[in-house]
Amino acid sequence: MAISDVRPVVDGGRFPAKRVLGDVLTVSAIVCADGHDELRAQVLHRTGAGAWTPAPMLRGLDGRWSAEVALTELGVHHVAVEAWVDDVATWERTIARKRAAGQPTHLDEQSLERATGEPRRKHLVSSPALQVVVGDRLAGCSSWYEFFPRSTVDGTIRHGTLREAIDRLGYVAGLGFDVVYLPPIHPIGHTHRKGPDNALVAGAEDVGSPWAIGDETGGHDAVHPQLGTVDDVRALASAAREHGLELALDLAFQCSPDHPWVREHPEWFTIRADGSIAHAENPPKRYDDIVPLNFDSDDWPALWHALADVVRHWRAQGVRVFRVDNPHTKPFAFWEWLIAEMQHEDPSVVFLAEAFAAPPVMHHLAKVGFSQSYTHFPWQHTPWQLREYFEHLVHGEASDYLRANSWPQTPDILTEELQQGARSVFVCRLVLAATLSASYGVYGPAFETMAHRPRPGAEEYGGNEKYELRTWDLATASLTGEMTTLNRIRHRMRALQHDRSLVFHHCDNDRIVVFSKTAPHRVLGASDEDASDDPVLVVVTTDHWTTQAGTVRLDLSALGPGPWDDYEVVDLFGGGRYRWSGADNVVILTPDAPAHVFQLRPLAGGPQA
Amino acid sequence: MAISDVRPVVDGGRFPAKRVLGDVLTVSAIVCADGHDELRAQVLHRTGAGAWTPAPMLRGLDGRWSAEVALTELGVHHVAVEAWVDDVATWERTIARKRAAGQPTHLDEQSLERATGEPRRKHLVSSPALQVVVGDRLAGCSSWYEFFPRSTVDGTIRHGTLREAIDRLGYVAGLGFDVVYLPPIHPIGHTHRKGPDNALVAGAEDVGSPWAIGDETGGHDAVHPQLGTVDDVRALASAAREHGLELALDLAFQCSPDHPWVREHPEWFTIRADGSIAHAENPPKRYDDIVPLNFDSDDWPALWHALADVVRHWRAQGVRVFRVDNPHTKPFAFWEWLIAEMQHEDPSVVFLAEAFAAPPVMHHLAKVGFSQSYTHFPWQHTPWQLREYFEHLVHGEASDYLRANSWPQTPDILTEELQQGARSVFVCRLVLAATLSASYGVYGPAFETMAHRPRPGAEEYGGNEKYELRTWDLATASLTGEMTTLNRIRHRMRALQHDRSLVFHHCDNDRIVVFSKTAPHRVLGASDEDASDDPVLVVVTTDHWTTQAGTVRLDLSALGPGPWDDYEVVDLFGGGRYRWSGADNVVILTPDAPAHVFQLRPLAGGPQA
């Protein structure tokens, strides 16, 4: 009797798998035994300190046994698999087969009688228990909108406030986003403050980078005096929720040289040979406006607890979503501890890892607990790159621990593709981000106004909001329609609310990328009445200057229709509906209509599956 | 600091990986850390109770670190991975980069000095230790020839002897095989003995099935009186070795009703309600000539030890290769214990699992310790089936624990394809078996004489040697040339001596199967002077009646030549040499020349790689 390959599993059980509230978890395993006995297997499931609940497993054609478990509680769940020989069923089968063959069964009936009186779980074996962390639904699927609260003043260059940011919420909610994310809102250091476009010397009026955190008025638990107060943050979080939005704050665990901790806790920093505190550097680059925390300091427990208290402080103001700046420059062990601690206190807390690091580092951050991870999506341009990259992200175990959150741009990233400024580029990158991964985000209003002027020679915005105040003319924002449409499609089509079913399809035109998603097996939950379980097929051109046509060859096994079936594809994004047939169908994309987001459904009036 | 995905690993370390003596083991892992420090990693390796020996690991482009370990001892090896931050190297790099940029380095030099005085392995982490079982080279690669020793008499029907089997060894060795395997050589029961072609009633002269083991003269440690004595077995094993062959015996752990254990140890069998001993059955089928052992009997420790003593008994006669009959009807735990015990006593012992069971059972038997496994090769006929089946066998972890041993036929298996009797079928199945898996076997002389008369309606031989004496006219055996050639190719081409590098290639004619193997990275060992490390490309038709031509599209990344390179393919099997170019080349196969086994090499006189 043997149980092996129990899933979901991450690193042999070292880390928990991830799901969200309302998911149906499929637990599966290879169960096998010598001989020809009747086998039974079940999943045992419990949450927290609850009792084990069994769910019978069924054997599939491939010998893999599985059972489904509805995840109706946030927090840490435990699952294990048990299997045994059912002697009674074995004898019953023996007797039935012999009777069918007209053979005597007297002795077998006596054996059945004896087996019925004995313990029924012969050769019982159990797998080790595995963990599954069930997070808020937002952790699994969310659309993010980032803006700088100090640049919310219309028409004139003046330092904005959190109160003005509240006024901006209606606009963001109108676009259909789920999360509104603000860069750091704390006091900004003066020492070595950066000037416009990352200039080494700032002028007297320059506002500095919000990521250079802390001055004499306070550090990570304070609010920049020109933005407002902690009370304003509470009001902002509350107002966001009234708009159906969650407020996300930035956790950038680093300090300006003026941060109170530099004076109060010099032991939390790296001390150089001359007794001074080391600034950040990655030679030959120097970051004089930042001093990194030393997570290995002798006093590390006090530092770690102080950082946890920072998170607790903002949670107390109603914030439960955090975008974590550069987590890959802090120890994995710190994040594993911090996230577990915070989710123990409130399992609905969400952490997004902003790391654009090597894949092993990205994956490890996800394993140690981050709810979501930024991706290298901005640099995947061709259909081949997109396919390789996203297949890698959802392949094998990765889909059990890493949840992609794809951004076309950020304040730090303006790719050469976007610098072209073509409307089609913006539209296509938006469609790809919003459909390739269940979570995505944009840095606005730069995105919807199609800002595309770079700092010369860099993949960054010129006149970057990171270093100066900006004003945006939202009235002329030209992509708000597309954003609103896409967010509505994402809310309606369950297929787009997860990444596990992502399949790429062949197109004979290698400038066109084609992929599909199907709805998860079954989803529990309330607000799903308007949702559709139909498959979604996305077709996007990567040529933004000329018309591209091609024949798509669909892997129908991923989608439902048979090879000779007719079906309807409804373009939820660009409009129009078409009758398609079988695997091979023609698509035509132009710079004006560069993307389809098709809902696949049976022909109206035709035979239903 | 984190180490993950250490390879080779089987079921997260629950079972050992397998290698053979002389292999170079690549141990690899994902090693990553926060920040930008210089990392170091090493493999620790030890055998048995030996000391840990370190081998430095290098990082590949994909972030995977690896080191190679030469396996020069049989038995259980242990490997683990360690990684740490090298502070000294980090400071040296910092100083070098600053110097290159003309920046001051005074403080960094002081830090370097301080780091040099401190322990050099900061943030040291270790993986759990993993096991690798190193077996005899025969376990990794061997060609088997099975014959019934009682059917070794030429020209007349008379019961042969082990002495006559010795006379047959020169013939087998001449064909180039490595292992000569004999079906059970023990006394055969009388009760319910089977007659010719599995008839329920035997005549007085019928010899019975060798798998119905035991009569009043002895059981598993005895020799059938008409075959000879235990001394003859010793002589046979010794004579085989002189011919460069290993003798393999059959371990069929079941009894005839006349086996001594039935009287002496009725507690080792299943007792029915009426007090009688249960015969084997799989309703509605009955096997009255066999009583199965009850491995779960209350007295199981004594039974298990008695079976281990059977193996010890034959090992004492010079036998170290065993073909195990139907292991899937005995507990996994028994095999795991038995094989570990026997290999602890002699790590060169080889066990071949004869199970044609569901894949999970086949795989689990391999995991618990079997050195080799029969495969479902006989039923994979089309190029698609062959590809799917063998890719599954070498995919992922499987190649670390399961070693395929493919047979075109056995005394129990004569597929409809072979029943056609076409010479091309025999040739193609032989080529496929001998090249798809590093180990293969044939049931001879039935194979080389192309015996193909079935028992009507069955996939079995008619006039089966299992139930009656046969005589074979070896002088007319028509496939001995092909067998000799193939075994010579297998000995010469290192690429064919393992399965890990198996790659299937596309052919636009779907009746033609194309696959390649390349030599392992490096192999230690003595008798390799005549061996070649060149890639081998096998091209076989599955149409045995007409000519088939097609264009092969090679995956050149698996083979060496560049897309515009010319190279030579030398047909080691059918003869002939051709100049090929790039990926696409034409092949033509006919019923008379249905297979190529190409050696790929640079053009004579042309530029060498």
Side-chain angles (χ1 to χ4, degrees), chain A residues 343-564:
Chain A
Q343 291 187 335
H344 178 72
E345 295 173 12
D346 176 1
S348 76
V349 176
V350 172
F351 292 90
L352 165 62
E354 186 257 356
F356 297 100
V361 174
M362 307 275 286
H363 282 256
H364 206 76
L365 287 166
K367 287 178 189 173
V368 302
F370 278 94
S371 322
Q372 301 189 343
S373 307
Y374 276 72
T375 68
H376 295 94
F377 165 72
W379 301 281
Q380 315 309 319
H381 303 293
T382 67
W384 184 86
Q385 287 174 325
L386 290 162
R387 178 179 192 143
E388 286 288 308
Y389 187 79
F390 281 90
E391 282 187 342
H392 179 70
L393 283 188
V394 301
H395 177 72
E397 285 183 15
S399 67
D400 283 320
Y401 61 79
L402 191 145
R403 299 190 186 111
N405 189 329
S406 297
W407 294 59
Q409 34 73 278
T410 75
D412 288 322
I413 302 166
L414 177 70
T415 60
E416 292 190 355
E417 194 179 21
L418 288 171
Q419 291 175 21
Q420 298 169 13
R423 194 171 195 286
S424 170
V425 179
F426 280 82
V427 170
C428 290
R429 297 302 292 178
L430 185 71
V431 169
L432 290 170
T435 56
L436 275 168
S437 56
S439 291
Y440 87 109
V442 297
Y443 153 52
F447 191 85
E448 64 267 35
T449 59
M450 300 204 305
H452 60 276
R453 183 173 63 84
R455 180 154 68 86
E459 276 204 324
E460 271 179 39
Y461 283 91
N464 199 319
E465 279 190 285
K466 279 178 71 174
Y467 309 106
E468 59 190 284
L469 301 178
R470 289 283 297 265
T471 181
W472 298 95
D473 184 5
L474 295 179
T476 65
S478 89
L479 289 170
T480 52
E482 284 81 356
M483 289 161 89
T484 310
T485 302
L486 276 168
N487 285 329
R488 196 162 50 220
I489 295 171
R490 287 169 44 87
H491 280 116
R492 196 165 151 254
M493 303 306 294
R494 284 196 183 114
L496 295 176
Q497 293 168 16
H498 76 145
D499 295 334
R500 212 170 296 267
S501 68
L502 178 66
V503 172
F504 285 81
H505 302 267
H506 179 73
C507 181
D508 63 1
N509 180 332
D510 66 4
R511 305 298 297 270
I512 297 174
V513 60
V514 184
F515 55 91
S516 68
K517 288 181 171 178
T518 51
H521 193 40
R522 198 151 47 98
V523 176
L524 305 173
S527 57
D528 289 328
E529 290 112 35
D530 299 332
S532 162
D533 278 346
D534 288 343
V536 171
L537 179 76
V538 181
V539 183
V540 182
T541 182
T542 58
D543 173 3
H544 306 295
W545 310 103
T546 58
T547 296
Q548 293 286 349
T551 300
V552 170
R553 171 155 289 176
L554 298 180
D555 172 1
L556 290 177
S557 68
L559 293 172
W564 296 280

Side-chain angles (χ1 to χ4, degrees), chain A residues 51-73:
Chain A
W52 288 107
T53 308
M57 300 176 87
L58 295 177
R59 179 163 54 181
L61 288 173
D62 57 352
R64 182 167 275 278
W65 294 63
S66 67
E68 296 188 332
V69 174
L71 301 174
T72 57
E73 263 183 62

Side-chain angles (χ1 to χ4, degrees), chain B residues 82-342:
Chain B
E82 284 187 337
W84 63 92
V85 165
D86 186 334
D87 253 3
V88 170
T90 306
W91 283 114
E92 284 170 347
R93 187 190 59 186
T94 297
I95 292 166
R97 289 191 181 169
K98 286 190 174 180
R99 279 192 186 139
Q103 295 171 356
T105 59
H106 179 61
L107 288 173
D108 305 299
E109 276 155 21
Q110 287 185 294
S111 298
L112 170 60
E113 209 165 290
R114 192 168 58 187
T116 308
E118 286 177 354
R120 296 178 65 119
R121 299 192 170 178
K122 201 165 119 184
H123 300 162
L124 178 71
V125 287
S126 307
S127 77
L130 297 172
Q131 288 195 1
V132 179
V133 166
V134 175
D136 190 87
R137 294 181 77 141
L138 220 50
C141 173
S142 48
S143 52
W144 294 50
Y145 185 92
E146 170 180 6
F147 72 88
F148 285 72
R150 69 186 180 190
S151 293
T152 47
V153 181
D154 286 338
T156 175
I157 298 290
R158 173 173 61 74
H159 201 293
T161 67
L162 294 181
R163 291 282 160 184
E164 285 161 321
I166 289 176
D167 296 339
R168 177 65 56 89
L169 294 177
Y171 169 78
V172 179
L175 295 175
F177 286 94
D178 307 311
V179 178
V180 59
Y181 150 57
L182 307 187
I185 55 170
H186 316 298
I188 295 172
H190 304 290
T191 306
H192 299 301
R193 176 178 283 191
K194 294 287 181 69
D197 276 339
N198 206 19
L200 283 181
V201 181
E205 298 300 306
D206 286 334
V207 289
S209 161
W211 281 274
I213 293 172
D215 69 7
E216 63 287 348
T217 70
H220 284 78
D221 51 5
V223 174
H224 192 292
Q226 288 181 276
L227 280 176
T229 65
V230 170
D231 283 344
D232 292 336
V233 175
R234 193 159 46 233
L236 181 60
S238 165
R241 214 156 281 161
E242 280 165 26
H243 279 100
L245 291 164
E246 280 292 328
L247 172 64
L249 291 188
D250 197 296
L251 297 178
F253 286 156
Q254 57 192 19
C255 299
S256 95
D258 311 313
H259 194 289
W261 286 350
V262 175
R263 289 189 317 279
E264 296 163 11
H265 295 286
E267 69 277 11
W268 290 354
F269 299 86
T270 302
I271 312 296
R272 287 190 290 197
D274 67 349
S276 67
I277 289 180
H279 57 71
E281 61 175 6
N282 187 11
K285 291 188 200 160
R286 300 164 54 94
Y287 307 96
D288 293 290
D289 59 337
I290 303 282
V291 290
L293 291 158
N294 178 6
F295 287 80
D296 304 321
S297 109
D298 290 342
D299 195 36
W300 65 266
L303 169 62
W304 290 26
H305 279 100
L307 294 170
D309 282 342
V310 167
V311 183
R312 288 192 186 98
H313 172 70
W314 296 113
R315 279 174 41 217
Q317 316 313 322
V319 179
R320 63 180 181 88
V321 181
F322 298 93
R323 179 266 199 192
V324 178
D325 190 71
N326 279 341
H328 56 296
T329 59
K330 289 94 188 172
F332 298 127
F334 167 70
W335 296 120
E336 189 169 9
W337 170 80
L338 180 78
I339 295 172
E341 198 76 6
M342 294 302 108

Side-chain angles (χ1 to χ4, degrees), chain B residues 251-449:
Chain B
L251 297 178
F253 286 156
Q254 57 192 19
C255 299
S256 95
D258 311 313
H259 194 289
W261 286 350
V262 175
R263 289 189 317 279
E264 296 163 11
H265 295 286
E267 69 277 11
W268 290 354
F269 299 86
T270 302
I271 312 296
R272 287 190 290 197
D274 67 349
S276 67
I277 289 180
H279 57 71
E281 61 175 6
N282 187 11
K285 291 188 200 160
R286 300 164 54 94
Y287 307 96
D288 293 290
D289 59 337
I290 303 282
V291 290
L293 291 158
N294 178 6
F295 287 80
D296 304 321
S297 109
D298 290 342
D299 195 36
W300 65 266
L303 169 62
W304 290 26
H305 279 100
L307 294 170
D309 282 342
V310 167
V311 183
R312 288 192 186 98
H313 172 70
W314 296 113
R315 279 174 41 217
Q317 316 313 322
V319 179
R320 63 180 181 88
V321 181
F322 298 93
R323 179 266 199 192
V324 178
D325 190 71
N326 279 341
H328 56 296
T329 59
K330 289 94 188 172
F332 298 127
F334 167 70
W335 296 120
E336 189 169 9
W337 170 80
L338 180 78
I339 295 172
E341 198 76 6
M342 294 302 108
Q343 292 188 335
H344 178 70
E345 295 173 12
D346 177 0
S348 76
V349 176
V350 172
F351 292 90
L352 165 63
E354 186 258 356
F356 297 101
V361 175
M362 307 275 286
H363 282 255
H364 207 74
L365 287 166
K367 287 179 189 172
V368 301
F370 278 94
S371 322
Q372 301 189 344
S373 308
Y374 276 72
T375 68
H376 294 94
F377 166 71
W379 301 281
Q380 315 308 321
H381 303 293
T382 67
W384 184 85
Q385 287 173 326
L386 290 162
R387 178 178 192 143
E388 287 287 309
Y389 187 78
F390 281 91
E391 282 188 342
H392 180 69
L393 283 189
V394 301
H395 177 71
E397 285 183 14
S399 68
D400 283 320
Y401 61 80
L402 190 145
R403 299 191 187 110
N405 189 329
S406 297
W407 293 59
Q409 35 73 278
T410 75
D412 288 323
I413 302 166
L414 177 69
T415 59
E416 292 189 356
E417 195 179 22
L418 288 171
Q419 291 174 21
Q420 298 169 15
R423 192 169 197 286
S424 169
V425 179
F426 279 83
V427 170
C428 290
R429 298 304 290 178
L430 185 71
V431 169
L432 290 170
T435 55
L436 276 168
S437 56
S439 291
Y440 86 110
V442 297
Y443 153 51
F447 191 85
E448 64 266 33
T449 59

Side-chain angles (χ1 to χ4, degrees), chain A residues 15-188:
Chain A
F15 300 102
K18 296 195 181 96
R19 292 294 188 275
V20 298
L21 197 64
D23 273 356
V24 172
L25 173 71
T26 300
V27 179
S28 68
I30 300 292
V31 175
C32 66
D34 57 285
H36 306 287
D37 292 328
E38 287 284 314
L39 309 186
R40 296 289 180 268
Q42 67 182 12
V43 169
L44 294 176
H45 167 241
R46 71 176 172 83
T47 53
W52 288 107
T53 308
M57 300 176 87
L58 295 177
R59 179 163 54 181
L61 288 173
D62 57 352
R64 182 167 275 278
W65 294 63
S66 67
E68 296 188 332
V69 174
L71 301 174
T72 57
E73 263 183 62
L74 288 169
V76 179
H77 293 233
H78 305 265
V79 291
V81 173
E82 283 188 338
W84 62 92
V85 165
D86 186 334
D87 253 3
V88 170
T90 305
W91 283 114
E92 284 171 347
R93 187 192 59 187
T94 297
I95 292 166
R97 288 190 181 169
K98 287 191 174 180
R99 279 194 185 136
Q103 295 170 356
T105 59
H106 180 61
L107 287 173
D108 305 298
E109 277 156 21
Q110 287 184 296
S111 298
L112 171 60
E113 209 166 288
R114 191 168 58 187
T116 308
E118 285 177 354
R120 296 179 63 121
R121 298 191 173 177
K122 201 165 120 186
H123 300 163
L124 177 71
V125 287
S126 307
S127 77
L130 297 172
Q131 288 196 0
V132 179
V133 166
V134 176
D136 190 88
R137 295 182 75 139
L138 220 50
C141 172
S142 48
S143 53
W144 294 52
Y145 185 92
E146 170 180 6
F147 72 87
F148 284 73
R150 69 185 180 189
S151 293
T152 47
V153 181
D154 287 339
T156 175
I157 298 289
R158 174 173 61 73
H159 200 293
T161 67
L162 294 181
R163 290 285 159 184
E164 285 162 323
I166 290 177
D167 296 340
R168 177 64 56 87
L169 294 177
Y171 169 78
V172 179
L175 296 175
F177 286 94
D178 306 311
V179 178
V180 59
Y181 151 57
L182 306 187
I185 55 171
H186 316 298
I188 295 173

